[in-house]
Amino acid sequence: MSIEKEEAVEALVARLAAARKGERGALLPLLHDIQHELGRVDGAAVAAVAAELNLSRAEVHGVVSFYHDFRERPAGRHHVQYCRAESCQSRGGAVIEAALAERLRVAMGETRADGQVTLEPVYCLGLCAIGPNALVDGAPVARIDGTAAIERIAATVAA
């Protein structure tokens, strides 16, 4: 990352942190703010947050790496989160996941080379009775039990 980009990240983090000054437990909301603005929380942002909140880089990195919603690289244009929780897995989730990854031409946990789609695991969407489930650009897709559902997701991602 160039020095100019690091300075821009530091300025953004300083502005966002100032808006949360005095707020108890500001770390998570600040990280969400950064993710919303930059589409990621990378190393430069981690360092800037640590400095702003008087935390160690390890503490901030630990939070970023613990929560799956934070990412170090921007997601693709479309974001597909596929449930890997027990209920969805018991309904054939692993087979459907493989078919979905093949149809979208992206491996689980990756962003396709053209930046069109990111496929990520999620561990329960709270729709266990009607799984397997996914979130496609934040919208739930339930009963992914055949090619029709996979094709609906692929059509959304192709748009």
Side-chain angles (χ1 to χ4, degrees):
M1 178 179 288
S2 70
I3 290 175
E4 293 83 20
K5 286 184 180 179
E6 280 188 35
E7 290 174 352
V9 170
E10 289 172 3
L12 172 71
V13 171
R15 180 176 55 83
L16 294 172
R20 295 193 176 278
K21 187 172 180 89
E23 186 177 312
R24 251 181 104 157
L27 178 57
L28 279 175
L30 178 58
L31 292 172
H32 281 288
D33 292 345
I34 294 165
Q35 174 102 3
H36 179 76
E37 290 283 332
L38 298 176
R40 66 187 185 284
V41 181
D42 59 14
V46 167
V49 168
E52 287 291 333
L53 298 182
N54 196 26
L55 298 170
S56 71
R57 285 183 183 192
E59 289 172 301
V60 177
H61 176 75
V63 171
V64 170
S65 62
F66 179 80
Y67 291 103
H68 296 280
D69 284 343
F70 298 122
R71 65 180 66 84
E72 293 183 17
R73 293 173 285 158
R77 185 167 170 254
H78 294 282
H79 189 210
V80 178
Q81 294 175 291
Y82 184 77
C83 185
R84 282 185 165 176
E86 289 80 6
S87 178
C88 288
Q89 291 299 309
S90 71
R91 294 171 186 240
V95 172
I96 294 166
E97 176 185 317
L100 181 63
E102 181 178 329
R103 179 62 181 91
L104 297 178
R105 296 179 290 121
V106 62
M108 180 58 79
E110 299 291 329
T111 299
R112 202 164 71 193
D114 64 3
Q116 184 70 13
V117 61
T118 296
L119 179 61
E120 293 181 331
V122 65
Y123 297 93
C124 197
L125 295 169
L127 302 168
C128 302
I130 53 174
N133 303 298
L135 281 180
V136 180
D137 296 332
V141 177
R143 300 185 201 281
I144 306 172
D145 54 3
T147 56
I150 291 173
E151 289 304 319
R152 279 196 327 265
I153 293 171
T156 300
V157 168

